[in-house]
Amino acid sequence: MGENAARSIRDKVCVVGVGESEYGRHGSIARPEFQLAIEAILAACNDAGLDPRRLNGFASYANDRNDAIRIATALGVEQTAFNNMHWGGGGGGVAGAVANAAAAIIAGYADYVVVYRALAQGQFRRFGQASVTGRSRGQDMWRLAAGLLTPPQRFALPIRRYMYEYGVTSAQLGLIAVASYKHAQHNPRAIMNGRPITIEDHQNSRMIADPLRLYDCCQETDGAAAVILTTPERARDLRRPLVYLAGAAQGAGYREGAMSDNRPDYTTAAFSDVARRLYASAGMGPEEIDVAQIYENFTGLVLMAMEDFGLCGRGEAGRWVEGGRIEHQAVADTGAPHAGALPINTSGGNLAEAYTHGFELMVEATRQLNGTATLPVEGARTSLLVSGPGVAPASALILHN
């Protein structure tokens, strides 16, 4: 066995169950955030056919408030052998938390690890709301003083520069939103189910932070989602077809976390290093990806992430998404030559399904390969998950069946 194969997680861990609570607009769900987390975990256990008391590992990210010991106590878990938190306040930890759980299983620390994320903004504060105190640290020392108080204001800057450098138009950003909303119409769980949009709707929507319009921005919702991981040997005794982790990577490249928007690769999603290591870990390249779930905090960052992961050339993503290429064939204009070539965010994603800090994308990445997706991509064997474009640390993984 070569060194790369020995260090890879490929085919050593399976995702055996996925679960969600209901999704609702921010502040609309009266139940506590902790209860939503429990609901999602129990749903994932039911999906797997696993007694929740057999869970002995817990992982999350972005400082999730629902600590593992309290969850284990509520579930009646006899032994908690592993609990882990991926650093970073943004959505860059979705795949990273899953990868950490996989590492724990491979190391023998735990047998069944649940990875989860929960948000109840009515109980706490609205997630996308500005929060200014008398003190600041890190990048906020520069951003808050310049009036960059909210995520749309912050990410509008690199997106505008990217559009200027490569001639990307607002309408091309809008194609990301239109595709997500089209997919949500086939997903009864989606917040925007029954509310499709057109490119004209996108172009006529109000400006939030130039160049980002209303439909360029993710939802703000309440809810929770969870997945369960174990070894292939244990997975064979459970309910779902095996879905393997092919590879995972997390972290950042040179100065991708530089302060004051001063990183050298400013017109990228800061994934160049992570993408390279991901493909090496999985032993495959971008041409082998059948379906992708790309975290859409804002549409422009999706275009940058596509380029970082080699799905198209640098500066080409705006034109590349035209003609329905990223839409599922069931909703695309089949007259276009590349319609349905690489569907992304097939459940509606952060833009139109819900914003569980991106963890609903991990659920959909799994469902595309275990036969339970509401809009399945025919013949899909590989699923790419890209977590947190534009932040550091970030993460990504590839699943296959």
Side-chain angles (χ1 to χ4, degrees), residues 303-321:
L303 298 179
M304 296 183 196
M306 289 177 179
E307 296 174 5
D308 287 356
F309 281 87
L311 303 179
C312 58
R314 183 65 66 196
E316 296 177 359
R319 296 182 300 277
W320 194 83
V321 298

Side-chain angles (χ1 to χ4, degrees), residues 21-22 29 59 74 79-80 84-86 90 148 213 257 269 303 307 320 330 332 363 396:
S21 71
E22 68 173 293
I29 299 179
Q79 179 191 66
T80 300
N84 177 266
M85 180 65 66
H86 182 282
L148 302 179
R213 299 180 178 277
L303 298 179
E307 296 174 5
W320 194 83
V363 172

Side-chain angles (χ1 to χ4, degrees), residues 366-387:
T366 304
R367 283 179 169 148
Q368 279 293 340
L369 300 183
N370 73 6
T372 60
T374 57
L375 197 59
V377 175
E378 185 176 356
R381 297 183 57 82
T382 59
S383 186
L384 169 68
L385 173 68
V386 175
S387 304

Side-chain angles (χ1 to χ4, degrees), residues 11 44 49 54 63 104 118 228 288 296 304 306 374 379:
D11 298 343
R54 298 180 68 185
N63 306 316
I228 297 171
E288 296 173 74
E296 343 95 287
M304 296 183 196
M306 289 177 179
T374 57

Side-chain angles (χ1 to χ4, degrees), residues 83-98:
N83 65 91
N84 177 266
M85 180 65 66
H86 182 282
W87 276 335
V94 178
V98 175

